Amino acid sequence: MLRDIDLSGFEKITAKDLPTECMVSSGHRACQGCGEVLAMGMVTKAAGPNTIVANATGCMEIISSPFPETAWKIPWIHVAFENAAAVASGVEAAVKALMRRGALKDRPHIIAFGGDGSTADIGFGALSGAFERGHKFLYVCLDNEAYMNTGIQRSSSTPYGASTTTSPAGKKSIGQHTQKKNLPLIAAAHGIPYVATASPAFYLDLMNKVRKALSVDGPSYIHIYAPCPTGWGMPGSKSIEIAKLAVQTNVFPLYEVVGGRFALTKKVAKPQPVTDYLKAQRRFRHLSDKEAAFIQQTVDGNLDYLQRLVAATNPEPAKAKKPKAKAAPAKKAAKKK
Amino acid sequence: MTKNSICAWQDLALGAAILEPGNAANLKTGAWRTLIPVLDEDKCIKCGLCAVYCPEFCITERKDGFFRPDFDYCKGCGICANECPKKAIAMVMEDK
Amino acid sequence: MPKRIGIEVSLAVADAVKMAKADVISAYPITPQTHIVEELSTYVANGELDAEFVPVESEHSAMSAAVGASAAGARVYTATSAQGLALMHEILFIASAMRLPIVMTVANRSLSGPISIWNDHSDIMTERDINWIQLFVEDGQESLELTLAAFKIAEDKRVLLPTCVNMDGFMLTHMIEPIVFPDQAVVDKFLPTYKPLLTLDPKKPATLGPVGVPEVYLEAKKQCEQALLDSLDVVKEVLAEVNKTFGRKYDLVETNGRKKAETLFVTMGSLGETCWSAVDNLIAQGQDVGQARIRLWRPFPVKEFIKACKGAERLIVIDRAISPGSVCGPVAQEIKSVFYGLKDAPEIVNIIAGIGGRDVPVADFEEMYRLAKKRKLAKTYTLWGLNSNA
């Protein structure tokens, strides 16, 4: 169902007032050039200090919390692999109950972080349950497209053709032979108020999506592209470059779904061929021209599908957009006073 | 026998929680570095993109307006150099 | 004034949780736990209980949400049974390791397979090592009072551990019994508002559940186990306060029948009441027999149990679960290790009875006694009521 979502609490970030206080400290143990920790840091910058984090088991949990040191400057809880959404549900329920009986004053933001394994695979049921129940929290999937923490095993979010340690390319295999599970669309199918994809390369877009997600009344989901130099086979220095390329090639389109209405937040005027993306990573190096052509076809098809969703859910794009653009700055100005 | 232990069990916080926020800063990950970013101040336009994209969150704006890393933490990944719009950062082998 | 009402025991447990003013209830329905959570959700729906009822999509999430809510500082309750408890398994250890005073009712039911909704203790016996306080109740009044007591025990600063109250599925949960309800004001005094020591507080950010590297894992485990061992005295204190507040007296191990009897039945849970009738019958027949009923299963009250068995030459330990491949059932294993190496240790025979809801009438206990006395029972254990061609 299409519905109007109240975004009046959304405080937009611009390049000039970029928040710089990261709630993940230096001294964390992520690999050199880790795009995942970078993206997670950006999320926390946008969210600010009044935030509680529930973290699924995975790279981000391991690199941020080996006893006796924590990289976390905000309250953080790790319970297990498959339950970050359920833990966040409990935190949210407690926050509501405690606020009602006056034991808590400021309502904190609640963010759950999970990798693609904990989100698309083992924690899928818990995620769906939390969305359906309508808890006010943000779930962020940091998608590095395989189980990197345990040594690059395939997940249901690993893209077609990628070689991993459990979907290795070989004489009889092209590597991963299934298509990447489309989590943002599955999230949107729950009818939650806000869903988006984001990339650390487009940091303003990412942080504003976090701000929007945290402003809605109900669950929100952001699926973030998280480059992994170690798992993908590329130099650490290329993490942002590859993230930009993923968007420029339409491999990872940036969009949001607000109240069921799809909108592309980054329109790629002249898409680069997908081979530019594939060739830059060792995980795709074994693919033939024919296979690359098939991937190009899939990428084009996925974009076409997305554009159809945009068209189908926005019957009057011009009219719908104009008042929004006017209303937002006016409200912000009022708040500053 | 207890040599390999961090502390006595009685000294642990409840549930072995960590109560000092961000004390990972005690770990100087700069030791992981082989290449070090070197800034060419003549080329730098002080845009701060290097800070935005630093996965160590260790590049900050200094008094002179330049953005520089804290080498206690810089792992030398080279994202800053790669993303610098003016190519003002060079990654060079560090003398240790 | 306390009120005496004829009520289904499950509903009385729900009333206890209501009177305890739980902040968050996260639960997933499973027979025979359902009546408890249905009643609680009704209380929340009617505004009689100002709590968040989180109708989760699985028991795994029920316990996970309970952990999140408890870590955020709420008083948390859940209830489950059998397969549900098994699905929670992973998180049960984490709840205790994080020192979260969650209270859970386990409506004891047989574990599949084959699937069975009927009663035995195979669900909780699989979870002996979760580092939770584990109580067993025998009747409705006790179910209500020990549910209230469970919160008080769990939340005691010397304890801070999750606590489960085991009650036999159907055999107790679905019984209608006369139960005396205390006044809310009395409960409020007995169980003040929960004030957590450590929570997810943005003003005092803590990292809960960090990676337990080899240099700390053992110490973390020790902290958790010591809290469980220390809880024994707190359980005693709270039971004494229950006695003072509500009037009924509860011990860690209860005894009935003849004092210093030659033969003692050892029971845990509601089968104890059936056994009690048999013990009375046997005494009437001139037999020297008594009974010890275990109320606190974890931490196991070693001293209290040995004291309760003083003078006995023979223990007939009734287990409600099989421990496949072991020497006997889990309760008998525990008791054998308690007595190992002690002078004048009694002979210990083990009967595994009432498995998967198999009926164990009074006469059966009398039969067990006669067989034990004639030493006609297996040295290991006897599967009571087994239909065999041998």
Side-chain angles (χ1 to χ4, degrees):
Chain A
M1 189 185 80
L2 299 179
R3 59 191 169 121
D4 292 329
I5 300 299
D6 179 9
L7 289 172
S8 58
F10 167 49
E11 288 180 56
K12 197 175 176 183
I13 296 169
T14 64
K16 279 185 185 164
D17 60 6
L18 208 60
T20 54
E21 198 194 346
C22 187
M23 300 303 152
V24 182
S25 77
S26 304
H28 65 73
R29 299 169 193 224
C31 302
Q32 289 171 322
C34 174
E36 187 174 10
V37 77
L38 172 58
M40 187 167 77
M42 287 177 179
V43 172
T44 68
K45 282 179 186 178
N50 191 26
T51 303
I52 295 172
V53 168
N55 207 155
T57 308
C59 285
M60 292 305 98
E61 167 259 335
I62 295 282
I63 61 102
S64 67
S65 79
F67 194 92
E69 281 155 5
T70 179
W72 291 93
K73 299 180 191 171
I74 46 180
W76 179 91
I77 181 169
H78 160 250
V79 182
F81 197 4
E82 66 282 56
N83 65 355
V87 173
S89 301
V91 172
E92 192 256 7
V95 162
K96 271 160 97 178
L98 295 178
M99 287 190 77
R100 269 207 309 271
R101 71 162 156 92
L104 184 68
K105 299 257 146 54
D106 286 349
R107 189 188 175 113
H109 298 307
I110 299 161
I111 301 179
F113 285 110
D116 50 294
S118 62
T119 309
D121 292 346
I122 197 165
F124 191 61
L127 179 69
S128 178
F131 283 164
E132 175 273 324
R133 291 190 298 272
H135 300 281
K136 179 168 161 52
F137 82 118
L138 164 62
Y139 190 101
V140 175
C141 173
L142 299 162
D143 184 8
N144 56 21
E145 304 194 318
Y147 291 89
M148 299 314 185
N149 185 40
T150 45
I152 323 167
Q153 293 85 17
R154 64 87 75 183
S155 77
S156 63
S157 194
T158 301
Y160 177 87
S163 185
T164 73
T165 54
T166 53
S167 65
K171 270 185 194 162
K172 293 189 172 181
S173 171
I174 57 136
Q176 178 91 342
H177 55 82
T178 51
Q179 292 293 340
K180 183 181 174 78
K181 190 185 276 186
N182 196 331
L183 270 171
L185 278 194
I186 295 169
H190 285 79
I192 60 176
Y194 189 81
V195 172
T197 63
S199 163
F202 300 87
Y203 56 95
L204 258 181
D205 179 72
L206 183 151
M207 289 195 213
N208 276 317
K209 283 170 174 171
V210 172
R211 284 280 175 93
K212 265 190 204 174
L214 292 172
S215 76
V216 301
D217 188 20
S220 49
Y221 178 77
I222 304 182
H223 193 96
I224 302 185
Y225 182 88
C228 176
T230 311
W232 296 0
M234 61 185 193
S237 59
K238 300 285 186 188
S239 278
I240 292 301
E241 191 179 317
I242 205 81
K244 284 179 185 161
L245 209 44
V247 175
Q248 298 296 342
T249 54
N250 287 321
V251 164
F252 193 86
L254 298 181
Y255 63 95
E256 61 183 10
V257 192
V258 187
R261 289 190 180 87
F262 284 69
L264 287 163
T265 54
K266 168 84 189 159
K267 282 174 192 138
V268 183
K270 281 184 190 165
Q272 283 176 250
V274 81
T275 45
D276 289 1
Y277 177 74
L278 301 175
K279 278 182 181 156
Q281 303 168 63
R282 194 176 55 230
R283 61 178 174 156
F284 295 121
R285 206 152 287 169
H286 57 281
L287 296 176
S288 67
D289 290 349
K290 199 179 140 201
E291 283 143 12
F294 175 69
I295 293 173
Q296 181 70 62
Q297 215 184 328
T298 313
V299 164
D300 294 345
N302 285 344
L303 184 72
D304 174 61
Y305 182 54
L306 197 56
Q307 283 165 338
R308 285 165 193 266
L309 288 171
V310 173
T313 55
N314 292 279
E316 295 162 292
K319 270 187 190 169
K321 269 190 180 170
K322 262 191 183 171
K324 247 189 206 169
K326 268 183 192 167
K331 263 188 188 136
K332 219 191 138 204
K335 250 182 199 155
K336 272 191 178 168
K337 276 174 199 171
Chain B
M1 198 181 106
T2 57
K3 242 196 300 190
N4 295 324
S5 162
I6 291 168
C7 66
W9 67 268
Q10 294 92 339
D11 296 335
L12 285 174
L14 191 71
I18 304 173
L19 305 183
E20 196 188 331
N23 66 348
N26 296 336
L27 184 72
K28 309 296 182 204
T29 50
W32 301 13
R33 191 171 56 233
T34 49
L35 298 175
I36 187 164
V38 177
L39 178 68
D40 182 339
E41 293 180 8
D42 294 336
K43 286 186 187 170
C44 176
I45 54 164
K46 302 176 176 175
C47 69
L49 260 192
C50 51
V52 166
Y53 287 133
C54 173
E56 304 312 320
F57 316 115
C58 74
I59 304 181
T60 50
E61 189 177 3
R62 305 302 168 96
K63 277 181 190 160
D64 56 8
F66 288 108
F67 289 80
R68 292 179 221 276
D70 181 338
F71 289 110
D72 276 353
Y73 305 110
C74 168
K75 292 173 188 163
C77 71
I79 290 181
C80 54
N82 202 57
E83 297 311 317
C84 175
K86 294 293 166 188
K87 297 288 162 219
I89 302 168
M91 298 303 293
V92 300
M93 194 63 77
E94 187 177 15
D95 287 330
K96 279 199 180 172
Chain C
M1 278 296 287
K3 268 182 281 181
R4 190 182 163 93
I5 304 169
I7 190 173
E8 185 186 314
V9 175
S10 285
L11 306 186
V13 170
D15 276 314
V17 176
K18 187 185 88 175
M19 287 187 285
K21 297 180 179 167
D23 294 305
V24 175
I25 298 148
S26 65
Y28 185 82
I30 181 167
T31 303
Q33 150 265 36
T34 43
H35 292 184
I36 302 173
V37 296
E38 286 167 3
E39 186 76 350
L40 281 168
S41 57
T42 304
Y43 284 142
V44 173
N46 290 344
E48 290 175 79
L49 172 59
D50 186 14
E52 286 296 312
F53 187 91
V54 188
V56 281
E57 80 295 337
S58 76
E59 287 91 351
H60 193 282
S61 285
M63 189 43 61
S64 300
V67 166
S70 186
R75 178 173 282 166
V76 183
Y77 174 79
T78 186
T80 193
S81 184
Q83 306 312 113
L85 187 66
L87 190 54
M88 286 180 179
H89 176 76
E90 179 197 26
I91 310 304
L92 298 173
F93 293 81
I94 303 170
S96 56
M98 294 178 104
R99 308 289 303 278
L100 301 172
I102 297 160
V103 170
M104 172 164 70
T105 301
V106 182
N108 298 111
R109 161 182 153 180
S110 321
L111 269 180
S112 301
I115 186 168
S116 159
I117 58 164
W118 296 278
N119 165 239
D120 68 26
H121 293 170
S122 53
D123 53 4
I124 193 64
M125 286 304 152
T126 314
E127 308 295 349
R128 277 175 285 170
D129 295 339
I130 54 177
N131 212 107
W132 284 47
I133 295 164
Q134 302 185 14
L135 296 155
F136 274 82
V137 295
E138 293 184 333
D139 64 31
Q141 191 66 40
E142 188 178 353
S143 301
L144 179 138
E145 287 170 5
L146 290 205
T147 300
L148 289 170
F151 285 103
K152 196 173 176 70
I153 295 163
E155 291 169 7
D156 190 288
K157 298 279 183 286
R158 295 162 291 175
V159 178
L160 290 172
L161 281 177
T163 300
C164 67
V165 181
N166 289 277
M167 49 193 299
D168 288 306
F170 293 118
M171 291 174 68
L172 183 54
T173 55
H174 287 50
M175 290 297 118
I176 293 172
E177 294 188 13
I179 295 174
V180 180
F181 282 76
D183 286 343
Q184 183 66 52
V186 172
V187 174
D188 289 346
K189 207 176 152 213
F190 173 78
L191 184 66
T193 309
Y194 169 48
K195 295 225 167 60
L197 276 187
L198 180 63
T199 63
L200 294 164
D201 178 5
K203 291 195 186 73
K204 265 174 91 181
T207 291
L208 309 186
V211 180
V213 295
E215 294 78 15
V216 78
Y217 182 89
L218 174 63
E219 284 73 20
K221 282 291 163 199
K222 170 66 183 169
Q223 184 205 66
C224 194
E225 199 215 354
Q226 192 61 47
L228 185 65
L229 297 172
D230 294 347
S231 74
L232 193 126
D233 287 338
V234 177
V235 175
K236 276 191 197 167
E237 277 177 37
V238 172
L239 291 183
E241 207 169 324
V242 168
N243 175 233
K244 225 174 66 192
T245 311
F246 307 118
R248 254 175 77 158
K249 193 175 173 301
Y250 298 105
D251 283 324
L252 305 187
V253 182
E254 301 274 356
T255 52
N256 56 280
R258 284 179 63 95
K259 292 243 163 7
K260 299 202 175 174
E262 175 197 69
T263 300
L264 273 187
F265 277 99
V266 178
T267 60
M268 201 157 75
S270 63
L271 218 47
E273 291 201 329
T274 322
C275 182
W276 193 330
S277 302
V279 166
D280 287 348
N281 291 349
L282 288 165
I283 291 170
Q285 293 158 29
Q287 301 298 318
D288 189 12
V289 60
Q291 184 181 355
R293 289 144 33 228
I294 301 167
R295 175 164 289 117
L296 182 65
W297 170 235
R298 285 291 181 271
F300 192 80
V302 175
K303 264 186 2 207
E304 290 76 6
F305 188 78
I306 291 173
K307 198 178 153 209
C309 297
K310 207 163 167 83
E313 285 173 26
R314 179 184 304 111
L315 304 183
I316 305 173
V317 179
I318 309 295
D319 255 297
R320 306 287 317 276
I322 301 169
S323 180
S326 182
V327 291
C328 57
V331 178
Q333 285 170 29
E334 192 81 16
I335 289 168
K336 282 184 181 180
S337 49
V338 162
F339 280 108
Y340 181 78
L342 292 189
K343 258 203 277 175
D344 308 320
E347 177 197 356
I348 296 166
V349 291
N350 184 208
I351 291 173
I352 298 176
I355 295 299
R358 189 67 59 90
D359 193 26
V360 193
V362 175
D364 280 30
F365 286 98
E366 294 173 26
E367 178 70 5
M368 289 173 199
Y369 172 80
R370 281 189 281 273
L371 290 170
K373 198 139 196 232
K374 287 185 206 154
R375 298 182 183 263
K376 287 219 168 143
L377 292 171
K379 283 232 153 76
T380 51
Y381 59 92
T382 301
L383 285 178
W384 191 259
L386 180 70
N387 186 349
S388 164
N389 286 329

